Amino acid sequence: MMKIITVVTIDDRIKVVRLQLSVETDPERKKEMQKKLQKLLLQKEIETIRRKIEQLG
């Protein structure tokens, strides 16, 4: 049997959380999602900085 591997990038996860945020009505849940989004955005920024550091080598 063949296995299919799906790669989910940080950008994909950011898009999903943003979409969830746009439809969420519960204020408490929305607050949690905003925190999650902020963490993902910081992870993306860190990933970008790491790539730049590697390029400078």
Side-chain angles (χ1 to χ4, degrees):
M1 185 158 87
M2 198 170 162
K3 290 185 179 182
I4 298 175
I5 299 173
T6 304
V7 177
V8 180
T9 65
I10 290 178
D11 287 332
D12 294 334
R13 291 173 23 208
I14 289 171
K15 287 176 187 174
V16 169
V17 173
R18 282 187 171 147
L19 181 60
Q20 289 173 328
L21 257 171
S22 70
V23 296
E24 185 58 59
T25 56
D26 177 35
E28 193 61 36
R29 180 94 171 104
K30 200 165 191 157
K31 189 176 182 180
E32 290 173 20
M33 288 179 160
Q34 287 171 331
K35 187 176 181 180
K36 183 176 181 179
L37 177 60
Q38 188 62 38
K39 284 182 179 182
L40 287 170
L41 291 169
L42 288 171
Q43 284 179 348
K44 181 179 177 181
E45 191 174 336
I46 289 168
E47 196 176 88
T48 302
I49 291 169
R50 281 190 178 136
R51 259 190 255 118
K52 286 181 181 180
I53 289 172
E54 284 178 14
Q55 288 175 351
L56 292 173

